Amino acid sequence: MSDNSLSPAPACSCGCEHTHSHHEHEHEHSHSHHEHEHCSCGHEHAHSHHGHEHCSCGHGHAHQDGACTCGMDHAARSVRRQIIYLGISFAALIVSFFSPAERLHSELLHWLNPAWIAIVLCGFPIFKGAVLGIRHEHKITSALLISVAMTASVVLEFLSLAGFSTGGHEESYLFAAGEIALLMALGELLEDLTVRRSRAGIERLVSLSPTTAQRVDADGSVHTTAVTSLNIGDCILVQPNSIIPADGRIVSGRTSVNQAAMTGESLPVDKEPGDEVFAGTQNLSGALTVAVTKKAADMAISRLAALVEEAEGKKAPISRVADRWASKIVPAAVVLSALVGLFAFFVLNVAPSEAIVRGVTILVVFCPCALALATPTAVAAGLGNAAKRGLLIKSGAALEQAAKVDTFAFDKTGTLTEGQLAVDDVRAFGLSEAELLQLAGSAEKHSEHPIARAVCEYAAQHTELLEPRQTDSIMGVGVRALIGGRTVTVCKWDEAALHPDEEQAACARAFLQQGKTLCAVVVDGRLCGLLSVSDMLRKDTPRAVSALSDMGISCIMLTGDNGATAERIASQAGLSGFEHSLMPEQKLEKIQQLRDAGRHVCMVGDGVNDAPALAAADCSVAMGALGSDVAVETASVALMSSDIMRLPGFIALSRRVMSTIRINIALSITVNILAVILSTAGILTPVTGALVHNASSILVVLNSCLLLGAKDRWAQA
């Protein structure tokens, strides 16, 4: 699997041209990041993350910053080729079914049965894959069992043509072998299309991203250059109604940006100078000048593509159960085939040829293809659905763990709250509220302190700010300014220094008990007002917590903030509990304690100071990870936007994926058991057995396909 590449990975050992990740039920490859290695299709593929490399389709194409330049075209050609082979094989089997040799009384046509076309076109890749799977991986795969079943059918046909009794069966055994090959190829094509559809959103995002940008030189001239040649600090011009070609920060211009493809947000986001923009998102209105902040390989869109590739290559633990069963069923099927043949001959007293036919039928119906497809198809569809919602799930294991979660542990700042200070209450004494805000905002106008910015922004929304004649910063206290002949001081609350009256002191104590930060506004030496500043709760936090609680999940908060603030946020959010004043290592200890108590914990944080706790939890989600490298590296799930309402949908999706996998496994095992019984009784023949066997595989794939259309009922419209 090549990093950042969305082209098909090397073909699997069954020869069906599927990627390694698509057949994670059959293979446990070691993907070196520094050397060339052989995949089971027998070709040398590069699995390198550096420089020019072979793409995962096996051709010697150069990769540009991780993306295969032949990519989607080769994948489309592969699917077209599969469809053409299926069409030719299907036509050949129709001709074979109507037995032209019998109608024309031609012995030659018996040997030139059109079913050979299906065997060669659809069956040869399976034979080849079985041999290479043993040779390179030293593993017995389901491809081997399919090959044995087809070989046995061909042998039966030769025996029949040589004059041996066929046990009363009228159908051609070559037709049975061709039918097995055709239906297996059809099942593999459906699986391939399912996985391709699950990746369609990411592929579309990558394909829409421009390969060139309009670079602005120092002299103001603009010329076209490749995105891969852009350096950090370069300025690019982004026209209205165009796709932003690179991650960067707006230098000039204001606009609205459609980030839906990256974050799943339904509404455009307003952007102004200083705001970040990301490659692959759409500039809807104004022209922008953007300073590039990341090289092409490090951009969010490249990381997103890499995460999808990484997720498809990682197995869920439940898939290893299917792996073990598949590896055991193959030799068991051969033994059972022999036992059924002996049972039919000695106990049921059927003819030797009929006993052989029943044994061969066991090989056909007992192949664990449906079982092997049960997990990877569901996981791939689940990952694709999640990506459309702005959720990057880094592995099938994360999906499985999320389905078990019974406790959510939230960080406070930037997770339950907006992560930005804002004025939430104003009290004026002896002045009007508007006059108080005008004086306080004007005094803070040139300060870069976060509290000053919050005061200034809030005041600007309610009144016109004045230009202070003189501003002095008082270290550790606040700011003093001369405004319209009055001396205005905005400082932190200090009851001993400010000498408030009883009303003012009572008001201040009430704010402090709520865990808010308090600023005093002093005009000409007299306390004239109080401004309370706090980190505001996200508007959707209570609804998200309520939805998770309805799903039987306990929600708690682990924060480093003080007790009063933590209590206020916990109460507003509707949390069942909270821990405050925690250092990062103490958050880690709390997560461990919850796990030791038998809880399945999902930690939700910003991926920076919460990194230890994120790593320790059973499952972890990084909020707003679009611009956070640390979040992407640490958490098992990256929520690209800060929409906390995505979390209930994530849990519901993970539970549905696991339910789909269990249904798939139950369906495949049930069909196999029934098919074995019917084959032993002689009701199923190689031909009808192939139909039943492949029908179960197709049902499993179609059931997994339903996950692609699963809706998130909690998502914002």
Side-chain angles (χ1 to χ4, degrees):
M1 179 180 66
S2 298
D3 191 26
N4 294 1
S5 173
L6 286 172
S7 58
C12 74
S13 62
C14 69
C16 63
E17 298 174 346
H18 279 285
T19 66
H20 288 296
S21 58
H22 297 177
H23 278 268
E24 59 183 357
H25 54 282
E26 291 188 359
H27 312 298
E28 293 184 27
H29 296 289
S30 172
H31 288 259
S32 167
H33 288 244
H34 302 285
E35 60 186 75
H36 290 272
E37 54 189 58
H38 287 275
C39 78
S40 57
C41 64
H43 300 290
E44 185 181 79
H45 299 277
H47 293 260
S48 169
H49 288 245
H50 307 286
H52 291 285
E53 45 188 74
H54 287 79
C55 75
S56 56
C57 63
H59 297 278
H61 295 277
H63 283 238
Q64 294 181 354
D65 298 299
C68 172
T69 56
C70 71
M72 271 71 83
D73 288 340
H74 179 75
R77 287 197 299 271
S78 175
V79 170
R80 285 197 297 269
R81 184 170 61 251
Q82 286 177 278
I83 293 174
I84 291 171
Y85 285 179
L86 282 170
I88 295 173
S89 299
F90 182 68
L93 287 176
I94 290 177
V95 175
S96 175
F97 180 78
F98 289 105
S99 305
E102 296 290 341
R103 299 177 184 276
L104 299 176
H105 305 288
S106 170
E107 187 66 25
L108 179 63
L109 288 181
H110 274 296
W111 294 94
L112 298 179
N113 193 315
W116 280 112
I117 296 174
I119 295 172
V120 172
L121 291 181
C122 297
F124 177 74
I126 300 174
F127 280 102
K128 179 183 175 183
V131 172
L132 294 176
I134 294 175
R135 189 165 120 202
H136 289 295
E137 298 178 9
H138 309 293
K139 288 181 65 175
I140 297 175
T141 67
S142 57
L144 178 61
L145 185 55
I146 300 167
S147 301
V148 171
M150 288 191 293
T151 301
S153 296
V154 172
V155 170
L156 283 176
E157 180 72 10
F158 284 150
L159 290 175
S160 174
L161 293 174
F164 290 92
S165 172
T166 61
H169 288 280
E170 296 180 357
E171 61 266 64
S172 163
Y173 294 110
L174 281 183
F175 177 83
E179 181 193 24
I180 293 170
L182 175 74
L183 292 176
M184 280 304 303
L186 177 61
E188 302 293 359
L189 176 62
L190 285 175
E191 181 199 356
D192 193 29
L193 292 175
T194 299
V195 178
R196 280 171 56 81
R197 184 181 168 192
S198 74
R199 295 156 55 94
I202 306 302
E203 291 183 346
R204 184 167 57 253
L205 178 62
V206 173
S207 65
L208 287 176
S209 297
T211 57
T212 61
Q214 301 296 311
R215 185 164 62 190
V216 182
D217 291 337
D219 59 2
S221 61
V222 178
H223 67 277
T224 302
T225 186
V227 171
T228 52
S229 67
L230 291 175
N231 295 312
I232 296 174
D234 286 350
C235 285
I236 57 174
L237 179 65
V238 183
Q239 298 291 350
N241 298 311
S242 63
I243 303 297
I244 298 171
D247 287 10
R249 194 174 300 277
I250 297 176
V251 175
S252 64
R254 285 176 169 80
T255 188
S256 291
V257 176
N258 182 356
Q259 300 185 154
M262 294 287 283
T263 67
E265 294 170 290
S266 57
L267 298 176
V269 179
D270 292 334
K271 300 283 187 177
E272 58 184 25
D275 289 340
E276 284 187 302
V277 292
F278 303 96
T281 59
Q282 185 179 14
N283 175 25
L284 296 178
S285 50
L288 302 175
T289 301
V290 176
V292 177
T293 56
K294 292 181 180 177
K295 291 184 69 68
D298 300 322
M299 290 179 188
I301 190 172
S302 298
R303 296 204 317 274
L304 187 149
L307 275 175
V308 174
E309 290 288 346
E310 181 182 358
E312 290 182 353
K314 287 185 177 179
K315 297 184 178 184
I318 194 171
S319 71
R320 290 193 286 270
V321 175
D323 284 344
R324 290 194 295 270
W325 275 99
S327 61
K328 292 177 181 177
I329 285 176
V330 174
V334 176
V335 174
L336 183 60
S337 173
L339 292 177
V340 167
L342 294 173
F343 177 80
F345 179 70
F346 289 106
V347 179
L348 301 180
N349 296 317
V350 301
S353 57
E354 172 64 14
I356 294 173
V357 168
R358 295 190 186 186
V360 170
T361 305
I362 293 294
L363 293 176
V364 174
V365 302
F366 207 64
C367 179
C369 294
L371 177 63
L373 292 172
T375 297
T377 53
V379 168
L383 294 175
N385 187 308
K388 291 190 298 184
R389 304 180 186 187
L391 276 164
L392 290 184
I393 303 173
K394 295 176 70 173
S395 68
L399 264 179
E400 183 171 348
Q401 290 297 331
K404 301 175 183 176
V405 165
D406 56 22
T407 302
F408 260 81
F410 291 93
D411 174 44
K412 180 183 76 70
T413 306
T415 303
L416 295 173
T417 67
E418 296 287 355
Q420 294 181 339
L421 293 176
V423 174
D424 60 7
D425 209 339
V426 178
R427 297 295 172 87
F429 307 111
L431 297 175
S432 69
E433 186 174 301
E435 186 178 6
L436 177 71
L437 287 173
Q438 185 180 53
L439 293 173
S442 300
E444 299 277 26
K445 192 172 183 179
H446 299 300
S447 175
E448 294 300 323
H449 192 281
I451 293 179
R453 292 291 87 210
V455 171
C456 194
E457 289 175 9
Y458 184 82
Q461 295 172 9
H462 295 80
T463 186
E464 183 179 355
L465 300 185
L466 305 175
E467 186 66 30
R469 289 176 53 191
Q470 180 181 339
T471 302
D472 298 316
S473 178
I474 308 172
M475 187 64 66
V477 177
V479 66
R480 180 184 295 117
L482 187 62
I483 302 172
R486 290 190 284 186
T487 301
V488 180
T489 303
V490 183
C491 58
K492 67 180 182 180
W493 175 257
D494 184 343
E495 188 168 338
L498 292 170
H499 307 294
D501 60 29
E502 187 174 338
E503 179 189 359
Q504 294 167 339
C507 182
R509 283 193 290 269
F511 284 142
L512 293 173
Q513 287 173 0
Q514 296 173 28
K516 298 180 179 180
T517 299
L518 199 57
C519 296
V521 182
V522 179
V523 180
D524 293 331
R526 183 170 63 91
L527 178 61
C528 291
L530 297 174
L531 304 175
S532 72
V533 180
S534 63
D535 186 5
M536 303 298 291
L537 190 73
R538 294 185 188 277
K539 64 177 182 179
D540 287 329
T541 293
R543 193 158 65 98
V545 170
S546 176
L548 291 170
S549 298
D550 291 343
M551 300 169 74
I553 296 173
S554 174
C555 297
I556 65 172
M557 179 173 65
L558 304 178
T559 179
D561 216 330
N562 62 73
T565 301
E567 183 176 8
R568 175 175 62 86
I569 294 297
S571 175
Q572 293 177 353
L575 300 174
S576 58
F578 66 91
E579 296 282 349
H580 63 87
S581 305
L582 299 177
M583 298 297 288
E585 60 271 19
Q586 292 174 311
K587 290 185 181 182
L588 171 61
E589 291 174 3
K590 293 295 181 182
I591 295 293
Q592 294 287 14
Q593 290 172 10
L594 288 168
R595 295 188 65 191
D596 292 343
R599 312 289 290 182
H600 289 89
V601 184
C602 180
M603 177 69 192
V604 186
D606 60 13
V608 182
N609 63 329
D610 298 310
L614 288 169
D618 296 287
C619 176
S620 54
V621 179
M623 290 280 291
L626 184 58
S628 173
D629 295 322
V630 177
V632 170
E633 291 297 326
T634 306
S636 51
V637 179
L639 183 57
M640 303 308 286
S641 70
S642 294
D643 182 5
I644 197 170
M645 283 306 299
R646 303 282 177 183
L647 296 178
F650 163 53
I651 296 299
L653 176 64
S654 64
R655 291 180 177 179
R656 182 165 178 180
V657 168
M658 296 311 298
S659 175
T660 298
I661 290 173
R662 294 187 185 98
I663 292 172
N664 286 349
I665 291 175
L667 176 65
S668 63
I669 292 177
T670 301
V671 170
N672 266 17
I673 293 174
L674 290 175
V676 167
I677 295 172
L678 295 176
S679 299
T680 303
I683 297 174
L684 291 182
T685 65
V687 174
T688 54
L691 285 171
V692 170
H693 164 261
N694 286 282
S696 66
S697 298
I698 292 171
L699 283 175
V700 162
V701 173
L702 293 178
N703 188 44
S704 295
C705 281
L706 296 177
L707 289 168
L708 292 170
K711 302 294 184 182
D712 183 355
R713 64 187 180 92
W714 292 279
Q716 295 179 356

